[in-house]
Amino acid sequence: MTTSIPSIAAAYDEAPVTLLRRRRLLLLGGLLALAFALPPLLGSDYWLNAILIPFLVLSLAGLGLNLLTGYTGQTSVGAAGFMAVGAFATYGLLLRVPGLPLPLALLGGGLIAAAVGWLFGIPSARIKGFYLMVTTLAAQFFLEWVFAKFPWFYNHASSGTISAPRLELFGYNLATPAGRYLLALSCVVLLTWVAHNLVRSQIGRNWMAIRDMDTAAAVIGIPVERYKRQAFAVSSFYLGIAGALWAFAYLGTASAGSFDINRSFQILFIIIIGGMGSIAGNFLGAAFISLLPIFLNHAGQWLSGGHVDTGQLQNLQKVIFGALIIWFLVKEPEGLIRLLRNLAERLRRWPLRF
Amino acid sequence: MRKTLIATLCALGLQAGLPAQSWAAADQQFIPLPTYRVGPYASSGIPWWAGTLDYLRYVNEVEGGVNGVKLVWQECETEWSVDRTVECYERHKNGLDGAPVAFFITHSTPASYALMERGHADRIPLLDPAGGRTESTDGSVFPYAFPLLLTYYGQASVGINYIAQREGGFDKLKGKKIATVYHDSPYGRETQAAIELLAKKYGFENIQIPVAHPGNEQSAQWRQVRQEKPDWVFLRTWGVSTPVAIKTAARFGYPVERIIGDVWAGSEADVLPAGAAAKGYQALAPFPGGADFEIHKRLKEHILDQGKSDLKDPSFFGKVYYNIGLVNAAIMVETLRAGQARFGNRALNGEEGRWALEHLKVDEARLKEIGFDGLLQPLELSCADHEGGGAARVQQWDGEKWVLVTDWIQADRETLRPLIDAKSTAYAAEKGITPRDCRAEG
């Protein structure tokens, strides 16, 4: 009789978990199906061109930085520099290797960015924290300078600007808004899936061990330096692909100036506000950082009806945006994703107190 | 606190519940305005849009619109960032409440690049006066891009031509040294090919000296200038690097009268921080400063004195950036007029806007009529020529205000054209575009 009690208890413990998992999977599948079916449902391409594509690309960039900063604990302010590497490398590959299909060019751009990231990750073996951040700042300025200084990178074009070569895949033209959206969405879904599995594998566990305490990680036998460099490379791979998508799927053009320090800060803010060490947090953070100003702009114009002085209105929007950031971070320093989880917990127990 | 917040939210919600307001009607002409009233360039943006709005209001309220067609506009804040400008373009490209868009002024060279293909696909002409992609002058390859007034190559050429004028002829340029001190960015490097070609043609020595962004420290650059002893310096800086350059030049004993600033180094904001060192500094001005033009008298009477001006600080009236806004607005209005002459007095769409721009002709008589004589150069655009003007005046800072020292100086456009054609042909090949036949265009 004694043996049956634990088995019942175990089954009882597992039951809600499996149900929850299945529900979440269904939800995710539905969301994905909706995302892929979206283009024909939307009447105008404003949503695709101006809202969804930049949101997806910034989420991907946030994901890349989050692998390095949120999961491995190496703060970087050079994210945009690695995005620039990806954009310029993809452009160079498409231009100089005739007949190279787009996915391979993107992959190549990502790999070149990963190599550069690995290189700039070498100092992480010796220095930590703020000092390492300064080396990534150097990477940012150095990479920006390289892509402005040497005309070979932008094929001697005027104004140092690269523009998207023909985007096509198996003869299908991707230059339409729907095509560019689907390209970005496919990349983001694929890479998010890879990242999700990566952080749950041994690699991810080692990264998190290093983040939590690198001395302890070294003591239990994790080769800390190697995993730090690896995190730099993987993060740069993601950022490189995000950079290429930013240049080609979103703007259609890029120059070194599109990947300046402000872009790096933007991506850093995405992960801080969205939630460090969380995959879904990147999407929330990107939505907050990139979509909220646009929403405020729309709302401001709509509510004021053009009667309020526009200069004041713009400044007011900045104030609201800043206040919201402070409010969210005071409420929940672990980011929007934590806020959302708490809310979900609370709803589940409603009307009882959490 | 919480109560106030809830009350505010309720009030907002109530307002949101009201039926959507509409600002425009289908018989009005919609003009989208991507602005930058906040952000790092707000100090130039605020007077800029004051000028534009004042003139548009003047046209609407005093002249009753363009041939009776009222103008309606909506601002969209970009903070001068490319992605926000793209969002504004996408938001406004289909018009407002049925009022169509005839053109979109990008107000930023990077944004002009980013929007180029979208404008082509959506058939909306993109205007970027005194900026934009230089080779889009060739309208056969770039039907929807208009780098109006004066391209970067033109700016270089006007600078050299003015130097030749001061030296007493092009033959006197031989053996002279002309140094270009430039902001080390795509903008700064843009003129290099043009100056190199002109150096070959006229036999002057071409010295290029870069200044790294942002240019707060320029001792090394001006030490080099002192060593090389150039006869003239062409200053192609922008932002903080301009006043620093002027001050550092004075410290190294280089005469400020021999420095010619470029278009974007020639506003009050560029010389005031340099103080006394800037007295005598000259700059190219496709949009000259000054409040004594005829249009300023009209605006003062009908807009400023009526309290309808967008200008918060009236001392900016007639400053360079305010006048840029006026010139931009005048180009918009004259384009609409040109289109209406062909399509009838109604609101125009993008395709009609392109036709209007390619047939835009603003001559001296017309400039006198609209009060822009001396402020805006005569313009004549065509399918093959999307620049249309190619001239600038030279203004000199007397310590308090800009004084115009020359009439319009024309760029040597025939010499530069092969450079432009080569680049546009390369672009067409890269993108697989078959150029239009401009002779077939009516």
Side-chain angles (χ1 to χ4, degrees), chain A residues 45-46 49 148 158-159 163-164 250-251 253 263 294 297-298 301-303 305 309-310 314-315 318, chain B residues 15 21 23 37-38 75 77 79 83 87 90-91 93 113-114 118 135 186 189-190 312 423 431:
Chain A
D45 42 3
Y46 169 72
N49 272 337
S158 48
S159 287
S163 64
Y250 174 38
L251 289 181
T253 151
R263 181 80 57 219
I294 296 172
N297 192 275
H298 272 286
Q301 221 146 38
W302 199 83
L303 288 175
D309 174 64
T310 36
Q314 306 301 357
N315 288 322
K318 286 248 151 189
Chain B
Q15 208 171 346
Q21 297 140 299
W23 294 293
R37 288 177 188 272
V38 295
E75 291 188 28
E77 177 63 34
E79 299 177 30
D83 34 331
E87 193 271 327
E90 292 289 342
R91 191 193 298 185
K93 71 179 184 186
Y113 272 84
R118 292 174 196 242
E135 60 261 38
R189 273 190 292 271
E190 182 90 40
K312 294 284 162 309
K423 287 212 162 181
K431 295 282 176 187

Side-chain angles (χ1 to χ4, degrees), chain A residues 272-276 328-329 332-340:
Chain A
I272 291 175
I273 290 170
M276 294 265 211
F328 273 131
L329 287 182
E332 187 50 72
E334 284 177 54
L336 292 176
I337 189 70
R338 185 76 210 192
L339 213 59
L340 203 70

